[in-house]
Amino acid sequence: MSVNQHLLNVIDLKTRFYTPEGTVYAVNGVSFNVAHGETLAVVGESGCGKSVTMMSILRLIPTPPGKIVSGQVLFNNEDLLKLSEEKMEHVRGKEIAMIFQDPMTSLNPVLSVGRQLTETLRTHTHMDAAQARTRAAELLQWVGIPQAGNRLGDFPHQFSGGMRQRVMIAIALACTPDLLIADEPTTALDVTIQAQIIDLVKHLKQEMGMAIIWITHDLGVVAGMADRVIVMYAGFIVEQADVYALFDGALHPYTLALMEALPRADRRRAQKLKTIRGAPPSLLMEPRGCPFAPRCEFVHERCIQENPTLLEQAPRHLAACWVNVLTGELRP
């Protein structure tokens, strides 16, 4: 697929935060793409740069202390990093929407959900107040909120956690965006509600044909909904593959370690879950060498001195590693 056929094409994106403690190297040359109608999962532990990457795409990085220092974000072949703030306000919500992690802090507590929905509609469409209110009720019903018309005047605290997240989804989908970014939208919910929200998003995606970037640390969720997966570590993409290829044979030691730490139904009772030794590197230090090297069981001297680039090591399967994890030998 050529670059022009991608809905989103991120090229060498770098984001820094300049703090009293020093420079935080949050995103370090990230490149990936999303096709029309595709679901891309972004996986990694807390602090690896998943959310900062997506906030950078939407230019929501607080400045100062943050700054996007280089890169391109091509959305429908237009670089979002070069648009005026006025044009970006049109893109946010209408063409690219985002669902945030905690609906209680994402929704305005002093405005009714109806007001928050109609505000989105009236900002990005030509609806009048009555039309926007009718559409808002339809959206709440669409995402599974009972007696939707009667709930427009209610405030966020009058909804359960799962219902608040449904309201967030309704707001995000109000203007039928081409791309939905979901930043760990089920983290604060119990397991039953998580499953309902995931099923809802999958259903709405089929109806609308939109692309989705789903940020998560839960590999179980990824297996059930993603087409492709990106694995991030310390601000870098370390592996990228189709979802079945990744689960069938990960090619980066970090991804392998994540897989081995995942509970499995076929695991023997006496067999313990593996842990990843050590801790992630400080992002206050400028990257040198492979960021996973201090924790890696396959580490070689070259890994400490030189950071591997993300290269195709199998068809449509990219990994940033000097070592062939199947043999333990260095790659040429």
Side-chain angles (χ1 to χ4, degrees):
M1 183 179 287
S2 70
V3 170
N4 291 336
Q5 291 175 291
H6 294 138
L7 175 65
L8 178 72
N9 198 43
V10 178
I11 304 168
D12 198 28
L13 182 65
K14 295 180 182 177
T15 301
R16 306 280 183 262
F17 290 90
Y18 301 97
T19 71
E21 291 77 22
T23 301
V24 178
Y25 296 85
V27 179
N28 302 303
V30 164
S31 298
F32 65 93
N33 54 65
V34 182
H36 293 269
E38 179 181 37
T39 298
L40 176 72
V42 183
V43 177
E45 59 199 78
S46 297
C48 72
K50 306 185 301 293
S51 297
V52 175
T53 298
M54 301 309 148
M55 298 287 271
S56 299
I57 288 171
L58 287 171
R59 283 175 42 192
L60 292 173
I61 298 296
T63 306
K67 184 179 180 182
I68 301 168
V69 297
S70 66
Q72 291 178 285
V73 178
L74 303 177
F75 181 72
N76 284 325
N77 298 320
E78 188 170 34
D79 192 351
L80 299 185
L81 301 185
K82 294 181 178 179
L83 294 185
S84 66
E85 182 57 31
E86 184 180 353
K87 289 185 177 178
M88 271 307 299
E89 287 177 1
H90 174 80
V91 170
R92 298 187 200 109
K94 181 170 177 58
E95 298 179 41
I96 304 176
M98 190 162 182
I99 306 171
F100 294 94
Q101 198 170 124
D102 185 357
M104 195 63 238
T105 56
S106 300
L107 292 168
N108 191 323
V110 299
L111 295 179
S112 68
V113 297
R115 167 73 183 277
Q116 295 181 63
L117 265 165
T118 55
E119 187 174 299
T120 300
L121 290 163
R122 297 193 69 184
T123 298
H124 294 293
T125 69
H126 299 293
M127 292 183 182
D128 60 28
Q131 291 171 326
R133 190 170 178 82
T134 300
R135 177 62 176 156
E138 290 173 354
L139 286 163
L140 289 185
Q141 186 174 1
W142 198 32
V143 297
I145 292 181
Q147 299 179 316
N150 297 329
R151 302 301 305 269
L152 290 174
D154 289 350
F155 291 84
H157 72 271
Q158 294 174 276
F159 291 79
S160 67
M163 287 299 177
R164 285 196 295 268
Q165 197 58 284
R166 289 172 186 267
V167 172
M168 282 297 300
I169 292 170
I171 293 172
L173 301 184
C175 300
T176 58
D178 295 322
L179 174 63
L180 175 68
I181 300 173
D183 187 1
E184 301 199 41
T186 60
T187 297
L189 308 176
D190 65 55
V191 177
T192 305
I193 305 301
Q194 282 184 26
Q196 291 176 6
I197 295 297
I198 291 166
D199 287 343
L200 172 64
V201 172
K202 287 165 69 174
H203 171 70
L204 295 176
K205 179 205 169 183
Q206 290 175 348
E207 284 198 7
M208 298 175 64
M210 63 185 172
I212 295 175
I213 299 177
W214 190 280
I215 306 169
T216 185
H217 58 266
D218 188 338
L219 286 168
V221 170
V222 170
M225 72 177 302
D227 300 308
R228 282 191 306 125
V229 186
I230 283 173
V231 181
M232 290 191 69
Y233 185 81
F236 293 92
I237 292 177
V238 296
E239 188 159 4
Q240 184 178 148
D242 294 338
V243 64
Y244 294 117
L246 190 84
F247 279 86
D248 190 48
L251 297 179
H252 193 278
Y254 176 60
T255 315
L256 278 175
L258 288 179
M259 297 289 190
E260 290 175 348
L262 190 67
R264 294 169 58 105
D266 59 355
R267 195 183 297 273
R268 293 181 180 178
R269 186 182 295 271
Q271 192 176 359
K272 293 183 178 180
L273 293 174
K274 289 191 176 182
T275 58
I276 305 174
R277 64 179 183 178
S282 170
L283 297 181
L284 287 167
M285 298 176 62
E286 187 168 4
R288 182 189 174 195
C290 174
F292 190 62
R295 309 174 74 185
C296 182
E297 60 182 278
F298 299 94
V299 65
H300 284 258
E301 183 63 29
R302 187 180 185 185
C303 308
I304 298 169
Q305 300 298 329
E306 189 179 353
N307 194 1
T309 53
L310 192 67
L311 296 174
E312 190 170 57
Q313 299 188 10
R316 289 172 53 85
H317 195 153
L318 288 72
C321 187
W322 293 123
V323 180
N324 183 330
V325 296
L326 299 177
T327 65
E329 298 175 352
L330 277 173
R331 296 186 182 275

